[in-house]
Amino acid sequence: MSAPTRLAHTVTGAADALAQQLAVPQPLPADLHWRAQSLTRGAAGIALLHIERAHAGVGSWGTAHTWVRAAADAGISAADEAGLHFGAPALSFVLHAAGTGRYGPALVGVDAHVSALTHRRVDLAQARIDRGELPGFAEYDLLRGVTGIGAHLLDHAPGGDALGRVLDYLVRLTAPLRTDEGILPGWWVWHDPHVTQSDEFRGGHANLGLAHGITGPLALLAQSLRRGITVDGHLDAIAVICAWLDTWRQDADTGPWWPQWITRDELRTGRSNQHRPLRPSWCYGTPGLARAQQLAGIATEDLHRQQVAEHALAGALSDPAQLARLTSPAICHGLAGLILTCWCAAADARSPVIAGHLPDLVQALLRNHADAARSPAWHQPGLVEGTAGVAMTLHSITTPDSSGWQTCLLIT
């Protein structure tokens, strides 16, 4: 048996074993019932794993339905805090992944709530801009904000006016915001990265990451452009974000990289206080930033931008110091997210360099998860932050994506 074949067998076996561990929902404590409707940490994300495996013929639709029911049984929020990774949009995403033929009647009602929620959230965001106030992550980001809802709509309601309103809002988000303390980028948030106020982040910050920062909107604008769906100012908005990223790009022997965020002091001096690339994660690090810029380069036919992005990602993968910072197997902060991002980027890349790193990364994930599983601290079952995400990653690199689930990470 060849080495690639042995690795494929190992990966498939590990994915099967992890999925089996998550076959039966466990009761949640009363104070954690909200987790059921979470893609990130709860039943909704685990349902997505079993749906993807059922599509591939290696899992049971009965198991998938059990988890869908667990996600919905505790009630579904369509309140203003609902986003792609929580509440009605999360459930809609899961039901669409299963296929409209399986949950058609339920989808009609859920999607009506998602549409109404989208219009309401865009109204609130536009009113906030009219008042000249700073936003928070929850307004625009991928996990909780309008960008995540827009990613779902692009796949499942691309012709609707709700998506158009999301894109219009994101264009306006890129316009400078005039404040009492000067002009700031429109996506400058009032809080620190932990959504609190602290002395280090007095006056807020601008986040660059894919999960919470401006590269989330960039990826959505790029993906919609690739599909021929645009609004007034669409190309200008992409150009504004790309110019900001160019301003803060750092160049090192290992390749380009970007800081995680910019503070008021850094904006004033024009220099980042982050002196080296940190963890190469999907959520905050070079991989997510590079993938968004690769998508933008492809969408705008900017070959140079695409090449810089791919060079940055390849550089991170070649740097042992960066890779050593990944201590978690999870999607959000760990190896699974790096692998998935590289897998998608490699499919679009102009050279095989990124793809060439994938076998070693997969081996590292298998070792890392085996080590983590022995630790009492690693007990999260969820998709983005836990075991389900590791199982989904291992499944996805050996089986074509049937449900489009990676849309929830905005890497495809």
Side-chain angles (χ1 to χ4, degrees), residues 170-171 174-175 187 218 221 225 231-243 300:
L170 292 180
V171 168
T174 66
W187 57 89
L218 175 64
L221 289 166
L225 175 60
V231 295
D232 290 345
H234 202 114
L235 288 173
D236 290 339
I238 290 175
V240 166
I241 300 170
C242 287
T300 60

Side-chain angles (χ1 to χ4, degrees), residues 166-235:
V166 168
L167 296 175
D168 280 332
Y169 156 71
L170 292 180
V171 168
R172 195 176 180 201
L173 184 71
T174 66
L177 190 62
R178 297 181 181 276
T179 72
D180 293 340
E181 298 182 25
I183 298 176
L184 295 170
W187 57 89
W188 193 281
V189 295
W190 58 265
H191 51 71
D192 67 14
H194 302 290
V195 198
T196 60
Q197 291 184 308
S198 57
D199 289 342
E200 184 182 357
F201 292 89
R202 192 179 300 277
H205 76 290
N207 197 287
L208 278 70
L210 185 59
H212 296 300
I214 193 55
T215 44
L218 175 64
L220 178 57
L221 289 166
Q223 291 289 57
S224 62
L225 175 60
R226 290 182 78 182
R227 300 184 200 185
I229 300 172
T230 61
V231 295
D232 290 345
H234 202 114
L235 288 173

Side-chain angles (χ1 to χ4, degrees), residues 250 257-261 266 271-279:
Q250 313 293 305
W257 59 275
W258 293 264
Q260 295 184 111
W261 48 65
E266 290 169 324
R271 291 201 313 268
S272 169
N273 293 331
Q274 183 181 322
H275 301 301
R276 63 185 64 84
L278 300 179
R279 182 176 56 203

Side-chain angles (χ1 to χ4, degrees), residues 208-404:
L208 278 70
L210 185 59
H212 296 300
I214 193 55
T215 44
L218 175 64
L220 178 57
L221 289 166
Q223 291 289 57
S224 62
L225 175 60
R226 290 182 78 182
R227 300 184 200 185
I229 300 172
T230 61
V231 295
D232 290 345
H234 202 114
L235 288 173
D236 290 339
I238 290 175
V240 166
I241 300 170
C242 287
W244 168 266
L245 295 172
D246 290 346
T247 296
W248 293 102
R249 189 183 74 214
Q250 313 293 305
D251 294 304
D253 292 341
T254 55
W257 59 275
W258 293 264
Q260 295 184 111
W261 48 65
I262 302 299
T263 66
R264 284 288 184 102
D265 286 344
E266 290 169 324
L267 183 66
R268 178 178 51 81
T269 63
R271 291 201 313 268
S272 169
N273 293 331
Q274 183 181 322
H275 301 301
R276 63 185 64 84
L278 300 179
R279 182 176 56 203
S281 58
W282 159 78
C283 56
Y284 267 100
T286 295
L289 277 151
R291 176 57 174 163
Q293 291 176 85
Q294 181 194 35
L295 291 169
I298 294 168
T300 60
E301 300 181 349
D302 184 342
L303 178 60
H304 176 69
R305 183 165 302 282
Q306 181 182 353
Q307 289 176 325
V308 168
E310 291 169 7
H311 178 49
L313 182 50
L317 298 176
S318 303
D319 184 359
Q322 291 188 58
L323 293 176
R325 294 178 179 272
L326 288 178
T327 59
S328 165
I331 287 177
C332 189
H333 302 110
L335 278 161
L338 174 61
I339 289 169
L340 289 169
T341 307
C342 291
W343 192 267
C344 294
D348 288 326
R350 298 180 62 84
S351 85
V353 174
I354 296 171
H357 288 278
L358 284 165
D360 287 342
L361 291 174
V362 173
Q363 293 275 22
L365 174 61
L366 291 169
R367 291 192 301 270
N368 187 291
H369 184 265
D371 292 341
R374 289 191 286 269
S375 167
W378 174 254
H379 54 81
Q380 295 288 348
L383 181 72
V384 179
E385 296 184 355
T387 302
V390 177
M392 185 75 103
T393 300
L394 295 173
H395 170 83
S396 295
I397 60 178
T398 58
T399 309
D401 183 356
S402 302
S403 66

